[in-house]
Amino acid sequence: MATARDYRQRQRLRRDRHGRGLRGPLYPASLPAASSRAEKFDALVLDALEPIEARWRHELTKLDVAVDEVPEVRPDGRTPAEGVLHDGAVPLSRLVPAGVDRAGLPTRARIVLYRRPLEARAKDPSELAELVHDVLVEQVAGYLGVEPDVIDGE
């Protein structure tokens, strides 16, 4: 025979303490509002890289592009100086040349974009898209050893 206590325990398993149950996502995953700022920035980087990669596909086969939140700061308070694209004292991106890591394994060259400094420099999403494109063009030009106008196709 089921008692009131058994009923309350069954109800408690399915609902939170306010009796509402588990809530679903606020937005469906198919809507743009469901993606985080980091995911939107990653998509922005891919959109900016696509025309550059389409034009320079063979030259960029050994180059990776990555996104970091903020630049790495050394214990002495300085950021690495080589291959860094600055806006004043704040690094926006860095070109890391190919080399060997601490374990002795070979590494590929990569461009690292710093999301938070880039977002802080832009007033709106269209300006951020232009800034990301300009930074990518500058770094790819530095990697290939050509002028940025050649990369951009102007």
Side-chain angles (χ1 to χ4, degrees):
M1 178 166 112
T3 64
R5 182 178 172 175
D6 293 336
Y7 178 74
R8 281 194 307 264
Q9 284 179 341
R10 276 187 276 133
Q11 289 296 324
R12 201 173 298 135
L13 293 176
R14 286 185 272 159
R15 298 185 179 269
D16 66 6
R17 66 188 186 119
H18 298 289
R20 295 187 193 105
L22 298 175
R23 295 185 179 191
L26 189 57
Y27 296 103
S30 61
L31 293 178
S35 57
S36 68
R37 286 175 43 188
E39 291 170 337
K40 290 176 186 175
F41 188 82
D42 291 346
L44 192 67
V45 170
L46 290 174
D47 289 343
L49 184 62
E50 188 177 338
I52 297 170
E53 195 174 54
R55 187 162 183 226
W56 299 92
R57 182 173 313 279
H58 299 293
E59 290 84 357
L60 300 179
T61 56
K62 296 184 180 181
L63 177 71
D64 293 332
V65 177
V67 174
D68 247 350
E69 290 290 313
V70 292
E72 174 188 339
V73 178
R74 294 183 180 167
D76 60 3
R78 296 182 306 138
T79 57
E82 62 185 52
V84 176
L85 183 63
H86 289 278
D87 180 21
V90 179
L92 300 178
S93 67
R94 180 171 183 220
L95 174 61
V96 180
V100 179
D101 66 2
R102 293 179 186 142
L105 300 172
T107 61
R108 294 167 45 121
R110 73 181 174 276
I111 295 172
V112 181
L113 299 172
Y114 301 119
R115 180 177 71 85
R116 302 281 300 263
L118 286 166
E119 286 178 340
R121 300 294 179 283
K123 294 177 184 147
D124 58 20
S126 64
E127 188 175 328
L128 180 60
E130 289 177 27
L131 182 60
V132 167
H133 175 76
D134 292 344
V135 167
L136 272 174
V137 166
E138 286 281 333
Q139 292 292 25
V140 169
Y143 172 72
L144 295 177
V146 298
E147 291 295 317
D149 294 342
V150 174
I151 298 296
D152 215 11
E154 295 176 357

